[in-house]
Amino acid sequence: MPKLTAKLRSKVRSARSKVALLVGTKKGGFILKADGARRSFELQGPFFLGNSVHHIVLDPRDRRTLLLAARTGHLGPTVFRSTDLGKHWKEATRPPAFAKVPEGEKGRVVNHVFWLAPGHASEPGVWYAGTSPQGLFRSTDGGDSWESVTGFNDHPMYRAWTGGEQDGTPDGPKLHSILIDPRDGAHLYLGMSSGGVFESLDRGGSWAPLNQGCEADFLPLNTGIEYGHDPHCVRQHPLAPDVLYQQNHCGIYRMQRPEGRWERIGKAMPKQVGDIGFPMVLHPRDPRTVWVFPMDGTSVWPRTSPDARPAAYVTRNAGKSWKRLDAGLPRKNAWFTVFRQAMTADARDPIGVYFGTTCGEIWGSRNEGAKWACLARHLPHVYALEAVELGR
Amino acid sequence: MRVLIPTPLRSYTGERAEVAAEGASVRELLLDLDRQFPGFRFRMIDEQDAVRPHMRVFVNGEQTLSLDTPLASSDEVQILQALSGG
């Protein structure tokens, strides 16, 4: 049987399913559904209006189950689950929560569930959740009940690795970027803001920092320290799992395993733009192609597009050089930011790249960033975008 | 006893503003509410058994901060979401 090209596979997929964006916002969840050509998009929702929805993720193992992380300003954090692509939702019977401590001690309390990650393909029903403050939780029943991953949450170095609440983001310290090696479900990575990147080879039973080569210019010792870094977004290539990238508070990095040293590839970015940002998106088939969305990380960290002229940047040679992608984007006075979960890519050919902004717009490009169009506006602050394929 | 439910928690009570529940203390009452309306308790009480910020419990009009406050079947308990923000 002849091998299908990526373009042909994309056409076949287009006939069977449509691209959709799962949108988490400060005020609820939405689904933005594309037509077959990805030219027009239809907005559905909101669901859980008034809840902060930090992440919505489709289970790639059944392509029907959605998990959604939610909290309101006043009620506690929880996870909702849908097994019919969002038509009906059911709350987790036991949401992620830290262990209760003895009377008189100060225990940790989950403020919000920030990150959801399906487990390995060979482990149906397994999910991981990362929380604020930093906590790692696992479900083995499809997200209905969650257990603390004690190998991390109760690790003797937990306090040293994570720092205090003052070391977190303005919205609280976060555990994010939970990565499961597609070759081995016991091999995990995670990122923490702050804390750094950590690796486990035993399904979360034990952990070790993986930050060598990464800078931390907010600490007295900028280099050579083991932990305390601030990765904003860490990605592992699905077809080349030894290739890791991270958009860090201190630049853009790449690591080729088994070596354990980060190389700062953001040095090749234009000096006036810099290599600070939140999100990072990998090409699903080409491990040398990566998109980032820089922000102003100078002086007091405005966290807006540099010079109010937003642009994505792409490298097609693993960071040796970068190309600005701003066709169709505002040329001036655009003071938004793109959060770490709010940029994503589909798997079509050419790749569709999408991002959501802090001012409630969703932008997309169906030609890998060559030309952008605004797909939705006037939404709440966009926290998260995930591109998925939904069946007809 | 009679328990008054604030609007943010009525999705758990079938939109009922008032429900009946039992318990010899606020702690027991909340466990009964959670039995009747799964998920209710964790949205207002955290994993360290503290009432979450902005949530308030009143017994016969008096605010209580302790889950061990005793209750009688004739008491009226009101759960409120305190005004906050601007």
Side-chain angles (χ1 to χ4, degrees), chain A residues 198-215:
Chain A
F198 289 76
E199 180 181 29
S200 171
L201 300 173
D202 56 4
R203 205 170 263 99
S206 60
W207 294 84
L210 189 68
N211 299 296
Q212 288 304 308
C214 192
E215 296 180 35

Side-chain angles (χ1 to χ4, degrees), chain A residues 25-29 46-53 71-74:
Chain A
T25 80
K26 189 173 183 179
K27 298 291 182 183
F47 33 90
F48 301 104
L49 178 62
N51 283 256
S52 295
V53 175
R71 70 161 289 134
T72 71
H74 300 84

